[in-house]
Amino acid sequence: MNRTQLITTADLTREEVDFFIKEADELRGKSTNNLEGVVMASLFFEPSTRTRMSFESAAHRLGGRVITVANASSTSMKKGETLDDSIRVIEKYADILVMRHPKEGSAADAIKITKKPFLNAGDGANQHPTQALLDMYTIQKEMGSIDGNTIAFVGDLKFGRTVHSLLHLLKHYKVKIIFISPEQLKIPNHYLDLLKESSVEYLETSELKKHMPDIDVLYMTRIQQERFEDLDQYYMLKGSYVLNSELVRSGKESMRVLHPLPRIDEMTTDVDSLPQAAYFREAENGVYMRMALLKNLWKNFK
Ligand code: NCD
């Protein structure tokens, strides 16, 4: 493992995924000095709470320091500076760069400019690799293994980058996948091709209730308002699925509900107190997974 940058889950191997899961679990609850004297820049050109703060928490817990852009409109990009120039400058200020940007492919563009450790924290509807890894860690921790599970994705499968990224990792495991979405928000075909090539069994449907008893991991998503060109369509689709405690109870007791958060109205708060609700534990796992990534990408670089 000599990776120093993480742009996509498409090129991660099963060995790497298992390695990072193990590392994250070892770092759980710890403070270390792996990033002593190291400055991480977090560049968020698109809104974020969890991803930015958990990256920053991870850097601090590894003994590093953080500089941050939390509001794109406060940067020189507002004055017309290109992303390339911003990266050229910020890589002089920081040792590790973490970036979220609304444009698909922006992370791949950024690493044409910088050789420093770089982590994609979300590029448009394309990829969100650190979320996918923390989701894998959560599945492993909650279910005891990743192999053998039936995993259902519910909601906005067209624009949901966390779903897209996770599929690239799940393709390495023996899982079954159920895609549950309205017709307009179906998973793009190339992800189905990917699963076919990897011999992962899947089915597509618009019905959630009917499939509840088969599901081991229920991965809920938000309808991604900011990706819609036609807002009327967003308002039409936004209430498509609502997970409440009654619906959760109709599933297996051992089922676990994941959600990358934020939730809007697709999941009611009465689910939160059920043992099935794993999404706040999932958010915590994000800190340990990001610690594992920062520690190792930095180790491989220095
Ligand atoms: C996700 C994202 O940004 O893609 N959130 C996150 O990283 N925790 C999901 C979302 O915004 O719906």
Side-chain angles (χ1 to χ4, degrees), residues 46-47 50-51 100 121 128 131 161-162 222 224 226-227 259-262 290:
E46 200 185 57
R50 265 153 298 278
T51 306
R100 167 170 291 188
H128 191 353
Q131 177 72 42
R161 58 189 170 197
T162 68
R222 167 181 74 90
Q224 309 268 310
E226 67 275 32
R227 316 266 178 237
H259 191 315
L261 304 176
R290 290 179 174 120

Side-chain angles (χ1 to χ4, degrees), residues 47-64:
S48 168
T49 309
R50 265 153 298 278
T51 306
R52 184 172 68 81
M53 293 195 71
S54 72
F55 258 117
E56 296 183 355
S57 172
H60 284 295
R61 284 163 196 267
L62 294 168

